[in-house]
Amino acid sequence: MIQNENNELISTRIVTRWRMSIDYGKLNQATRKDHFPLPFADQMLEGLAGQAYYCFLDGYSNYSQIIVDPLEPKKIAFTCPLGIFAHRKMSFGMFNAPSTFQRCMLSIFSDLIEKSIVVFMDDFSIFDSSFDDCLETSMWY
């Protein structure tokens, strides 16, 4: 964290690798919208209210493990100097990616939702009445 001229704390991140950025604007305009309800951050935090112990886990790497329909690769193809490529796994920036991921996580953790885990997009909050139980639950993740 660093402090700027307005005395606000700003997070810094060390760049350790290249990251590709693709503009999915035209694809997102042509995409049929998935109206799966996404929670609000305050709903997630309300689920943690009153819990004795909780921890937050970032599921960013899990986000990019959802396989794209193998019959649709041409829709997410991109070109670069080395040729034409297509993602095989879901990428940030696709319009329906957040709702697809949320639906998938709710399905996977259905038996734990609101009992010991709260899912908000790619962030997971694990909670329990004791530190050891909270730690044990987070270990299998």
Side-chain angles (χ1 to χ4, degrees):
M1 302 290 277
I2 60 170
Q3 204 166 23
N4 68 8
E5 62 277 356
N6 297 327
N7 292 328
E8 299 168 324
L9 292 176
I10 307 297
S11 175
T12 60
R13 179 179 175 272
I14 298 172
V15 177
T16 58
R17 60 188 168 139
W18 287 94
R19 289 178 34 177
M20 182 171 41
S21 177
I22 299 173
D23 180 8
Y24 290 109
K26 290 183 181 179
L27 174 64
N28 288 337
Q29 287 176 351
T31 300
R32 185 178 65 219
K33 308 307 180 224
D34 180 358
H35 295 289
F36 188 81
L38 295 174
F40 294 102
D42 60 336
Q43 290 172 317
M44 182 185 87
L45 295 174
E46 284 175 12
L48 299 175
Q51 300 298 330
Y53 296 92
Y54 57 90
C55 64
F56 294 99
L57 303 172
D58 183 12
Y60 173 77
S61 61
N62 294 346
Y63 192 95
S64 58
Q65 293 184 29
I66 297 177
I67 297 172
V68 173
D69 183 349
L71 301 175
E72 303 293 340
K74 62 184 175 283
K75 292 182 180 177
I76 55 172
F78 59 94
T79 60
C80 71
L82 301 174
I84 299 173
F85 298 90
H87 288 285
R88 288 191 230 162
K89 305 211 176 150
M90 189 170 63
S91 173
F92 275 117
M94 293 181 186
F95 186 82
N96 288 332
S99 56
T100 300
F101 186 78
Q102 183 75 21
R103 180 183 287 118
C104 184
M105 292 303 101
L106 291 177
S107 175
I108 290 170
F109 296 115
S110 63
D111 59 331
L112 299 173
I113 295 295
E114 297 183 11
K115 293 178 189 156
S116 61
I117 189 170
V118 178
V119 179
F120 176 72
M121 309 281 275
D122 65 338
D123 295 317
F124 304 88
S125 299
I126 296 173
F127 57 89
D128 218 311
S129 57
S130 77
F131 178 77
D132 290 336
D133 290 343
C134 186
L135 186 60
E136 184 178 327
T137 303
S138 66
M139 294 299 272
W140 61 259
Y141 172 75

